[in-house]
mmCIF file of all heavy atoms in Angstrom:
data_model
loop_
_atom_site.group_PDB
_atom_site.id
_atom_site.type_symbol
_atom_site.label_atom_id
_atom_site.label_comp_id
_atom_site.label_asym_id
_atom_site.label_seq_id
_atom_site.Cartn_x
_atom_site.Cartn_y
_atom_site.Cartn_z
ATOM 1 N N ALA J 29 -14.444 -1.472 1.853
ATOM 2 C CA ALA J 29 -13.176 -1.217 2.478
ATOM 3 C C ALA J 29 -12.500 -0.147 1.698
ATOM 4 O O ALA J 29 -12.401 -0.066 0.468
ATOM 5 C CB ALA J 29 -12.273 -2.482 2.482
ATOM 6 N N ILE J 30 -12.130 0.965 2.454
ATOM 7 C CA ILE J 30 -11.474 2.134 1.750
ATOM 8 C C ILE J 30 -10.026 2.460 2.414
ATOM 9 O O ILE J 30 -10.017 2.571 3.591
ATOM 10 C CB ILE J 30 -12.423 3.330 1.927
ATOM 11 C CG1 ILE J 30 -13.805 3.066 1.447
ATOM 12 C CG2 ILE J 30 -11.778 4.580 1.350
ATOM 13 C CD1 ILE J 30 -14.861 4.066 1.693
ATOM 14 N N THR J 31 -9.156 2.551 1.570
ATOM 15 C CA THR J 31 -7.677 2.854 1.889
ATOM 16 C C THR J 31 -7.227 4.035 1.071
ATOM 17 O O THR J 31 -7.241 3.862 -0.145
ATOM 18 C CB THR J 31 -6.735 1.656 1.706
ATOM 19 O OG1 THR J 31 -7.372 0.521 2.547
ATOM 20 C CG2 THR J 31 -5.456 1.950 2.176
ATOM 21 N N HIS J 32 -6.577 5.096 1.716
ATOM 22 C CA HIS J 32 -6.006 6.167 0.999
ATOM 23 C C HIS J 32 -4.485 5.896 1.022
ATOM 24 O O HIS J 32 -3.993 5.440 2.093
ATOM 25 C CB HIS J 32 -6.267 7.432 1.691
ATOM 26 C CG HIS J 32 -7.898 7.746 1.778
ATOM 27 N ND1 HIS J 32 -8.549 7.994 0.757
ATOM 28 C CD2 HIS J 32 -8.629 7.590 2.788
ATOM 29 C CE1 HIS J 32 -9.843 8.056 1.111
ATOM 30 N NE2 HIS J 32 -9.938 7.872 2.370
ATOM 31 N N TYR J 33 -3.786 5.924 -0.038
ATOM 32 C CA TYR J 33 -2.411 5.689 -0.033
ATOM 33 C C TYR J 33 -1.533 6.724 -0.623
ATOM 34 O O TYR J 33 -1.970 7.497 -1.642
ATOM 35 C CB TYR J 33 -1.975 4.290 -0.684
ATOM 36 C CG TYR J 33 -2.144 4.418 -2.050
ATOM 37 C CD1 TYR J 33 -1.222 4.760 -2.953
ATOM 38 C CD2 TYR J 33 -3.400 4.043 -2.752
ATOM 39 C CE1 TYR J 33 -1.293 4.726 -4.369
ATOM 40 C CE2 TYR J 33 -3.650 4.028 -4.054
ATOM 41 C CZ TYR J 33 -2.635 4.468 -4.986
ATOM 42 O OH TYR J 33 -2.792 4.556 -6.299
ATOM 43 N N ARG J 34 -0.323 6.872 -0.281
ATOM 44 C CA ARG J 34 0.664 7.898 -0.769
ATOM 45 C C ARG J 34 1.938 7.280 -0.885
ATOM 46 O O ARG J 34 2.442 6.722 0.235
ATOM 47 C CB ARG J 34 0.595 9.066 0.060
ATOM 48 C CG ARG J 34 1.548 10.266 -0.394
ATOM 49 C CD ARG J 34 1.266 11.601 0.140
ATOM 50 N NE ARG J 34 1.168 11.464 1.616
ATOM 51 C CZ ARG J 34 2.214 11.680 2.432
ATOM 52 N NH1 ARG J 34 3.331 12.108 1.944
ATOM 53 N NH2 ARG J 34 2.091 11.632 3.769
ATOM 54 N N THR J 35 2.673 7.161 -2.004
ATOM 55 C CA THR J 35 4.135 6.681 -2.158
ATOM 56 C C THR J 35 4.984 7.844 -1.617
ATOM 57 O O THR J 35 5.157 8.937 -2.098
ATOM 58 C CB THR J 35 4.369 6.355 -3.567
ATOM 59 O OG1 THR J 35 3.455 5.567 -4.127
ATOM 60 C CG2 THR J 35 5.852 5.750 -3.621
ATOM 61 N N LEU J 36 5.668 7.365 -0.578
ATOM 62 C CA LEU J 36 6.721 8.269 0.042
ATOM 63 C C LEU J 36 8.022 8.264 -0.754
ATOM 64 O O LEU J 36 8.635 9.251 -0.798
ATOM 65 C CB LEU J 36 6.945 7.848 1.566
ATOM 66 C CG LEU J 36 5.657 8.020 2.429
ATOM 67 C CD1 LEU J 36 5.922 7.515 3.840
ATOM 68 C CD2 LEU J 36 4.973 9.338 2.384
ATOM 69 N N GLU J 37 8.384 7.031 -0.984
ATOM 70 C CA GLU J 37 9.747 6.860 -1.709
ATOM 71 C C GLU J 37 9.583 5.626 -2.604
ATOM 72 O O GLU J 37 8.871 4.681 -2.332
ATOM 73 C CB GLU J 37 10.913 6.596 -0.718
ATOM 74 C CG GLU J 37 11.180 7.772 0.327
ATOM 75 C CD GLU J 37 12.253 7.237 1.264
ATOM 76 O OE1 GLU J 37 13.449 7.237 0.907
ATOM 77 O OE2 GLU J 37 11.901 6.763 2.438
ATOM 78 N N SER J 38 10.349 5.549 -3.746
ATOM 79 C CA SER J 38 10.446 4.387 -4.512
ATOM 80 C C SER J 38 11.895 4.110 -4.805
ATOM 81 O O SER J 38 12.753 4.997 -4.689
ATOM 82 C CB SER J 38 9.701 4.586 -5.737
ATOM 83 O OG SER J 38 10.084 5.624 -6.513
ATOM 84 N N PHE J 39 12.248 2.832 -4.970
ATOM 85 C CA PHE J 39 13.655 2.401 -5.061
ATOM 86 C C PHE J 39 13.780 1.480 -6.357
ATOM 87 O O PHE J 39 13.057 0.715 -6.705
ATOM 88 C CB PHE J 39 13.957 1.590 -3.865
ATOM 89 C CG PHE J 39 13.381 2.146 -2.598
ATOM 90 C CD1 PHE J 39 12.314 1.736 -1.829
ATOM 91 C CD2 PHE J 39 14.126 3.179 -1.993
ATOM 92 C CE1 PHE J 39 11.897 2.250 -0.692
ATOM 93 C CE2 PHE J 39 13.757 3.848 -0.799
ATOM 94 C CZ PHE J 39 12.662 3.390 -0.225
ATOM 95 N N GLY J 40 14.847 1.795 -7.086
ATOM 96 C CA GLY J 40 15.336 1.052 -8.278
ATOM 97 C C GLY J 40 15.171 1.771 -9.524
ATOM 98 O O GLY J 40 15.159 1.054 -10.572
ATOM 99 N N GLY J 41 15.012 3.058 -9.478
ATOM 100 C CA GLY J 41 15.185 3.817 -10.741
ATOM 101 C C GLY J 41 13.785 4.144 -11.335
ATOM 102 O O GLY J 41 12.783 4.032 -10.680
ATOM 103 N N ASP J 42 13.734 4.179 -12.714
ATOM 104 C CA ASP J 42 12.473 4.485 -13.356
ATOM 105 C C ASP J 42 11.493 3.386 -13.335
ATOM 106 O O ASP J 42 10.352 3.703 -13.350
ATOM 107 C CB ASP J 42 12.807 4.800 -14.944
ATOM 108 C CG ASP J 42 13.579 6.098 -15.118
ATOM 109 O OD1 ASP J 42 13.536 6.935 -14.225
ATOM 110 O OD2 ASP J 42 14.274 6.057 -16.125
ATOM 111 N N LYS J 43 11.830 2.198 -13.091
ATOM 112 C CA LYS J 43 10.983 1.142 -12.925
ATOM 113 C C LYS J 43 11.071 0.591 -11.509
ATOM 114 O O LYS J 43 11.881 -0.425 -11.314
ATOM 115 C CB LYS J 43 11.144 0.017 -13.944
ATOM 116 C CG LYS J 43 10.723 0.315 -15.372
ATOM 117 C CD LYS J 43 10.919 -0.777 -16.243
ATOM 118 C CE LYS J 43 10.451 -0.363 -17.718
ATOM 119 N NZ LYS J 43 10.737 -1.455 -18.772
ATOM 120 N N PRO J 44 10.474 1.190 -10.530
ATOM 121 C CA PRO J 44 10.737 0.759 -9.032
ATOM 122 C C PRO J 44 10.627 -0.695 -8.819
ATOM 123 O O PRO J 44 9.637 -1.311 -9.286
ATOM 124 C CB PRO J 44 9.748 1.547 -8.303
ATOM 125 C CG PRO J 44 9.374 2.773 -9.245
ATOM 126 C CD PRO J 44 9.572 2.178 -10.674
ATOM 127 N N VAL J 45 11.482 -1.252 -8.063
ATOM 128 C CA VAL J 45 11.404 -2.535 -7.612
ATOM 129 C C VAL J 45 10.744 -2.705 -6.256
ATOM 130 O O VAL J 45 10.448 -3.678 -5.727
ATOM 131 C CB VAL J 45 12.791 -3.285 -7.673
ATOM 132 C CG1 VAL J 45 13.268 -3.321 -9.181
ATOM 133 C CG2 VAL J 45 13.877 -2.510 -6.787
ATOM 134 N N ALA J 46 10.742 -1.609 -5.500
ATOM 135 C CA ALA J 46 10.197 -1.479 -4.299
ATOM 136 C C ALA J 46 9.804 -0.055 -3.946
ATOM 137 O O ALA J 46 10.262 0.896 -4.522
ATOM 138 C CB ALA J 46 11.091 -2.054 -3.107
ATOM 139 N N ALA J 47 9.016 0.020 -2.858
ATOM 140 C CA ALA J 47 8.567 1.440 -2.536
ATOM 141 C C ALA J 47 8.127 1.462 -1.004
ATOM 142 O O ALA J 47 7.718 0.469 -0.451
ATOM 143 C CB ALA J 47 7.398 1.903 -3.323
ATOM 144 N N ARG J 48 8.137 2.698 -0.529
ATOM 145 C CA ARG J 48 7.723 2.993 0.892
ATOM 146 C C ARG J 48 6.356 3.639 0.661
ATOM 147 O O ARG J 48 6.327 4.803 0.105
ATOM 148 C CB ARG J 48 8.683 3.720 1.770
ATOM 149 C CG ARG J 48 8.199 4.133 3.116
ATOM 150 C CD ARG J 48 9.373 5.055 3.761
ATOM 151 N NE ARG J 48 9.017 5.329 5.161
ATOM 152 C CZ ARG J 48 9.845 6.034 5.948
ATOM 153 N NH1 ARG J 48 10.903 6.692 5.360
ATOM 154 N NH2 ARG J 48 9.584 6.321 7.175
ATOM 155 N N VAL J 49 5.230 3.171 1.247
ATOM 156 C CA VAL J 49 3.950 3.683 1.113
ATOM 157 C C VAL J 49 3.306 3.888 2.419
ATOM 158 O O VAL J 49 3.407 3.036 3.381
ATOM 159 C CB VAL J 49 3.072 2.654 0.148
ATOM 160 C CG1 VAL J 49 1.665 3.188 0.026
ATOM 161 C CG2 VAL J 49 3.716 2.326 -1.146
ATOM 162 N N ARG J 50 2.638 5.105 2.432
ATOM 163 C CA ARG J 50 1.883 5.341 3.724
ATOM 164 C C ARG J 50 0.445 5.208 3.425
ATOM 165 O O ARG J 50 -0.178 5.749 2.420
ATOM 166 C CB ARG J 50 2.160 6.772 4.143
ATOM 167 C CG ARG J 50 1.485 7.132 5.548
ATOM 168 C CD ARG J 50 2.051 8.457 6.013
ATOM 169 N NE ARG J 50 1.586 8.872 7.451
ATOM 170 C CZ ARG J 50 2.060 8.623 8.459
ATOM 171 N NH1 ARG J 50 3.274 7.834 8.493
ATOM 172 N NH2 ARG J 50 1.498 8.903 9.635
ATOM 173 N N CYS J 51 -0.230 4.360 4.235
ATOM 174 C CA CYS J 51 -1.724 4.044 3.972
ATOM 175 C C CYS J 51 -2.502 4.547 5.191
ATOM 176 O O CYS J 51 -2.200 4.371 6.421
ATOM 177 C CB CYS J 51 -1.899 2.616 3.940
ATOM 178 S SG CYS J 51 -0.957 1.790 2.451
ATOM 179 N N THR J 52 -3.536 5.299 4.839
ATOM 180 C CA THR J 52 -4.433 5.721 5.885
ATOM 181 C C THR J 52 -5.841 5.025 5.682
ATOM 182 O O THR J 52 -6.375 4.999 4.722
ATOM 183 C CB THR J 52 -4.681 7.356 5.606
ATOM 184 O OG1 THR J 52 -3.400 8.082 5.643
ATOM 185 C CG2 THR J 52 -5.629 7.882 6.744
ATOM 186 N N LEU J 53 -6.312 4.562 6.830
ATOM 187 C CA LEU J 53 -7.534 3.684 6.926
ATOM 188 C C LEU J 53 -8.739 4.497 7.035
ATOM 189 O O LEU J 53 -8.734 5.303 7.904
ATOM 190 C CB LEU J 53 -7.511 2.683 7.910
ATOM 191 C CG LEU J 53 -6.479 1.536 7.811
ATOM 192 C CD1 LEU J 53 -6.579 0.598 8.914
ATOM 193 C CD2 LEU J 53 -6.765 0.755 6.522
ATOM 194 N N GLU J 54 -9.637 4.378 6.019
ATOM 195 C CA GLU J 54 -11.077 4.998 6.346
ATOM 196 C C GLU J 54 -11.963 3.958 6.967
ATOM 197 O O GLU J 54 -12.926 4.346 7.717
ATOM 198 C CB GLU J 54 -11.549 5.550 5.050
ATOM 199 C CG GLU J 54 -12.943 6.344 5.187
ATOM 200 C CD GLU J 54 -13.226 7.141 4.023
ATOM 201 O OE1 GLU J 54 -12.416 7.596 3.254
ATOM 202 O OE2 GLU J 54 -14.513 7.242 3.658
ATOM 203 N N THR J 55 -11.703 2.741 6.560
ATOM 204 C CA THR J 55 -12.410 1.609 7.279
ATOM 205 C C THR J 55 -11.427 0.716 7.810
ATOM 206 O O THR J 55 -10.206 0.839 7.544
ATOM 207 C CB THR J 55 -13.325 0.796 6.325
ATOM 208 O OG1 THR J 55 -12.408 0.331 5.229
ATOM 209 C CG2 THR J 55 -14.359 1.780 5.683
ATOM 210 N N GLY J 56 -11.829 -0.367 8.697
ATOM 211 C CA GLY J 56 -10.788 -1.157 9.198
ATOM 212 C C GLY J 56 -11.204 -2.614 9.054
ATOM 213 O O GLY J 56 -11.566 -3.279 10.107
ATOM 214 N N ARG J 57 -11.151 -3.116 7.866
ATOM 215 C CA ARG J 57 -11.546 -4.539 7.654
ATOM 216 C C ARG J 57 -10.270 -5.535 7.914
ATOM 217 O O ARG J 57 -9.094 -5.058 7.863
ATOM 218 C CB ARG J 57 -11.998 -4.658 6.150
ATOM 219 C CG ARG J 57 -12.962 -3.674 5.761
ATOM 220 C CD ARG J 57 -14.144 -3.769 6.674
ATOM 221 N NE ARG J 57 -15.264 -2.756 6.222
ATOM 222 C CZ ARG J 57 -16.216 -2.303 7.024
ATOM 223 N NH1 ARG J 57 -16.241 -2.752 8.320
ATOM 224 N NH2 ARG J 57 -16.986 -1.447 6.635
ATOM 225 N N THR J 58 -10.564 -6.755 8.093
ATOM 226 C CA THR J 58 -9.503 -7.825 8.312
ATOM 227 C C THR J 58 -8.528 -7.703 7.210
ATOM 228 O O THR J 58 -8.814 -7.894 6.017
ATOM 229 C CB THR J 58 -10.247 -9.184 8.524
ATOM 230 O OG1 THR J 58 -11.255 -9.075 9.500
ATOM 231 C CG2 THR J 58 -9.058 -10.116 8.679
ATOM 232 N N HIS J 59 -7.187 -7.602 7.622
ATOM 233 C CA HIS J 59 -6.074 -7.471 6.575
ATOM 234 C C HIS J 59 -6.283 -6.519 5.482
ATOM 235 O O HIS J 59 -5.771 -6.654 4.396
ATOM 236 C CB HIS J 59 -6.003 -8.982 5.957
ATOM 237 C CG HIS J 59 -5.590 -10.100 6.948
ATOM 238 N ND1 HIS J 59 -5.510 -11.370 6.615
ATOM 239 C CD2 HIS J 59 -5.308 -9.935 8.315
ATOM 240 C CE1 HIS J 59 -5.163 -11.996 7.665
ATOM 241 N NE2 HIS J 59 -4.997 -11.307 8.682
ATOM 242 N N GLN J 60 -6.984 -5.465 5.764
ATOM 243 C CA GLN J 60 -7.321 -4.433 4.674
ATOM 244 C C GLN J 60 -6.094 -3.872 3.944
ATOM 245 O O GLN J 60 -6.164 -3.946 2.767
ATOM 246 C CB GLN J 60 -8.101 -3.313 5.296
ATOM 247 C CG GLN J 60 -8.380 -2.211 4.235
ATOM 248 C CD GLN J 60 -9.449 -1.234 4.830
ATOM 249 O OE1 GLN J 60 -10.327 -1.488 5.499
ATOM 250 N NE2 GLN J 60 -9.099 0.073 4.458
ATOM 251 N N ILE J 61 -5.167 -3.453 4.584
ATOM 252 C CA ILE J 61 -4.021 -2.887 3.971
ATOM 253 C C ILE J 61 -3.264 -3.957 3.035
ATOM 254 O O ILE J 61 -2.911 -3.746 1.916
ATOM 255 C CB ILE J 61 -3.003 -2.190 4.860
ATOM 256 C CG1 ILE J 61 -3.715 -0.900 5.297
ATOM 257 C CG2 ILE J 61 -1.712 -1.781 4.081
ATOM 258 C CD1 ILE J 61 -2.918 -0.137 6.440
ATOM 259 N N ARG J 62 -3.142 -5.068 3.657
ATOM 260 C CA ARG J 62 -2.416 -6.165 3.012
ATOM 261 C C ARG J 62 -3.050 -6.603 1.699
ATOM 262 O O ARG J 62 -2.500 -6.891 0.704
ATOM 263 C CB ARG J 62 -2.105 -7.408 3.882
ATOM 264 C CG ARG J 62 -1.185 -6.962 5.139
ATOM 265 C CD ARG J 62 -1.268 -8.021 6.231
ATOM 266 N NE ARG J 62 -0.744 -9.297 5.849
ATOM 267 C CZ ARG J 62 -0.878 -10.435 6.440
ATOM 268 N NH1 ARG J 62 -1.562 -10.384 7.760
ATOM 269 N NH2 ARG J 62 -0.361 -11.631 6.024
ATOM 270 N N VAL J 63 -4.445 -6.631 1.883
ATOM 271 C CA VAL J 63 -5.303 -7.089 0.681
ATOM 272 C C VAL J 63 -5.183 -6.002 -0.413
ATOM 273 O O VAL J 63 -5.079 -6.271 -1.535
ATOM 274 C CB VAL J 63 -6.717 -7.388 1.172
ATOM 275 C CG1 VAL J 63 -7.573 -7.661 0.003
ATOM 276 C CG2 VAL J 63 -6.781 -8.734 2.061
ATOM 277 N N HIS J 64 -5.296 -4.751 -0.009
ATOM 278 C CA HIS J 64 -5.336 -3.714 -0.916
ATOM 279 C C HIS J 64 -4.014 -3.493 -1.668
ATOM 280 O O HIS J 64 -4.067 -3.121 -2.799
ATOM 281 C CB HIS J 64 -5.855 -2.437 -0.213
ATOM 282 C CG HIS J 64 -7.317 -2.315 -0.223
ATOM 283 N ND1 HIS J 64 -7.987 -1.298 0.564
ATOM 284 C CD2 HIS J 64 -8.434 -3.012 -0.750
ATOM 285 C CE1 HIS J 64 -9.339 -1.449 0.421
ATOM 286 N NE2 HIS J 64 -9.544 -2.371 -0.374
ATOM 287 N N MET J 65 -3.070 -3.667 -0.887
ATOM 288 C CA MET J 65 -1.717 -3.539 -1.550
ATOM 289 C C MET J 65 -1.443 -4.596 -2.626
ATOM 290 O O MET J 65 -1.071 -4.375 -3.601
ATOM 291 C CB MET J 65 -0.558 -3.464 -0.525
ATOM 292 C CG MET J 65 -0.463 -2.191 0.356
ATOM 293 S SD MET J 65 -0.077 -0.748 -0.683
ATOM 294 C CE MET J 65 -1.780 -0.007 -0.770
ATOM 295 N N ALA J 66 -1.969 -5.711 -2.315
ATOM 296 C CA ALA J 66 -1.897 -6.889 -3.238
ATOM 297 C C ALA J 66 -2.659 -6.581 -4.398
ATOM 298 O O ALA J 66 -2.361 -6.980 -5.580
ATOM 299 C CB ALA J 66 -2.140 -8.221 -2.514
ATOM 300 N N TYR J 67 -3.824 -6.122 -4.110
ATOM 301 C CA TYR J 67 -4.839 -5.764 -5.210
ATOM 302 C C TYR J 67 -4.272 -4.813 -6.193
ATOM 303 O O TYR J 67 -4.555 -4.736 -7.375
ATOM 304 C CB TYR J 67 -6.094 -5.247 -4.514
ATOM 305 C CG TYR J 67 -7.207 -4.739 -5.546
ATOM 306 C CD1 TYR J 67 -7.970 -5.672 -6.042
ATOM 307 C CD2 TYR J 67 -7.404 -3.440 -5.716
ATOM 308 C CE1 TYR J 67 -8.961 -5.385 -7.108
ATOM 309 C CE2 TYR J 67 -8.524 -2.986 -6.499
ATOM 310 C CZ TYR J 67 -9.283 -4.033 -7.256
ATOM 311 O OH TYR J 67 -10.234 -3.617 -8.030
ATOM 312 N N LEU J 68 -3.425 -3.865 -5.744
ATOM 313 C CA LEU J 68 -2.637 -2.906 -6.474
ATOM 314 C C LEU J 68 -1.589 -3.401 -7.223
ATOM 315 O O LEU J 68 -1.043 -2.869 -8.170
ATOM 316 C CB LEU J 68 -2.324 -1.691 -5.732
ATOM 317 C CG LEU J 68 -3.421 -0.657 -5.140
ATOM 318 C CD1 LEU J 68 -2.656 0.321 -4.212
ATOM 319 C CD2 LEU J 68 -4.235 -0.202 -6.404
ATOM 320 N N GLY J 69 -1.181 -4.708 -6.871
ATOM 321 C CA GLY J 69 -0.089 -5.367 -7.641
ATOM 322 C C GLY J 69 1.243 -5.104 -7.014
ATOM 323 O O GLY J 69 2.268 -5.329 -7.350
ATOM 324 N N CYS J 70 1.092 -4.647 -5.657
ATOM 325 C CA CYS J 70 2.409 -4.224 -4.877
ATOM 326 C C CYS J 70 2.208 -4.758 -3.366
ATOM 327 O O CYS J 70 2.130 -3.913 -2.601
ATOM 328 C CB CYS J 70 2.812 -2.792 -4.962
ATOM 329 S SG CYS J 70 1.451 -1.678 -4.819
ATOM 330 N N PRO J 71 2.179 -6.065 -3.246
ATOM 331 C CA PRO J 71 1.960 -6.619 -1.807
ATOM 332 C C PRO J 71 3.037 -6.182 -0.982
ATOM 333 O O PRO J 71 4.329 -5.832 -1.374
ATOM 334 C CB PRO J 71 1.964 -8.114 -2.173
ATOM 335 C CG PRO J 71 2.830 -8.322 -3.246
ATOM 336 C CD PRO J 71 2.507 -7.136 -4.214
ATOM 337 N N CYS J 72 2.790 -6.200 0.396
ATOM 338 C CA CYS J 72 3.901 -5.897 1.302
ATOM 339 C C CYS J 72 5.015 -6.902 1.223
ATOM 340 O O CYS J 72 4.795 -8.123 1.109
ATOM 341 C CB CYS J 72 3.260 -5.991 2.827
ATOM 342 S SG CYS J 72 2.033 -4.763 3.096
ATOM 343 N N LEU J 73 6.206 -6.382 1.265
ATOM 344 C CA LEU J 73 7.392 -7.314 1.333
ATOM 345 C C LEU J 73 7.359 -8.227 2.432
ATOM 346 O O LEU J 73 6.929 -7.902 3.601
ATOM 347 C CB LEU J 73 8.590 -6.544 1.268
ATOM 348 C CG LEU J 73 8.954 -5.632 0.050
ATOM 349 C CD1 LEU J 73 10.240 -4.782 0.244
ATOM 350 C CD2 LEU J 73 9.099 -6.504 -1.195
ATOM 351 N N GLY J 74 7.659 -9.450 2.164
ATOM 352 C CA GLY J 74 7.660 -10.401 3.236
ATOM 353 C C GLY J 74 6.418 -10.903 3.692
ATOM 354 O O GLY J 74 6.362 -11.932 4.561
ATOM 355 N N ASP J 75 5.279 -10.558 2.968
ATOM 356 C CA ASP J 75 3.996 -11.114 3.339
ATOM 357 C C ASP J 75 3.675 -12.541 3.049
ATOM 358 O O ASP J 75 3.779 -12.850 1.844
ATOM 359 C CB ASP J 75 2.889 -10.234 2.727
ATOM 360 C CG ASP J 75 1.512 -10.457 3.371
ATOM 361 O OD1 ASP J 75 1.208 -11.584 3.684
ATOM 362 O OD2 ASP J 75 0.618 -9.444 3.348
#
């Protein structure tokens, strides 16, 4: 599973508490973006 990501905006100062991220899929696995964002330590809000 391959996901390319780019942070568009971050919120909360030097230590962001949230961010807006654009993810581009190279593969399409089940729940791929949700799993990968959690793997990075920043899961989708409300997930």
Side-chain angles (χ1 to χ4, degrees):
I30 304 172
T31 304
H32 307 286
Y33 71 89
R34 178 165 54 93
T35 303
L36 302 179
E37 301 176 82
S38 59
F39 314 105
D42 294 335
K43 294 184 178 180
V45 296
R48 180 183 185 182
V49 179
R50 190 171 180 90
C51 298
T52 303
L53 290 179
E54 189 167 324
T55 59
R57 309 307 179 200
T58 304
H59 294 177
Q60 179 172 318
I61 292 176
R62 297 167 64 189
V63 171
H64 274 172
M65 288 296 99
Y67 178 73
L68 291 178
C70 46
C72 295
L73 292 176
D75 193 327

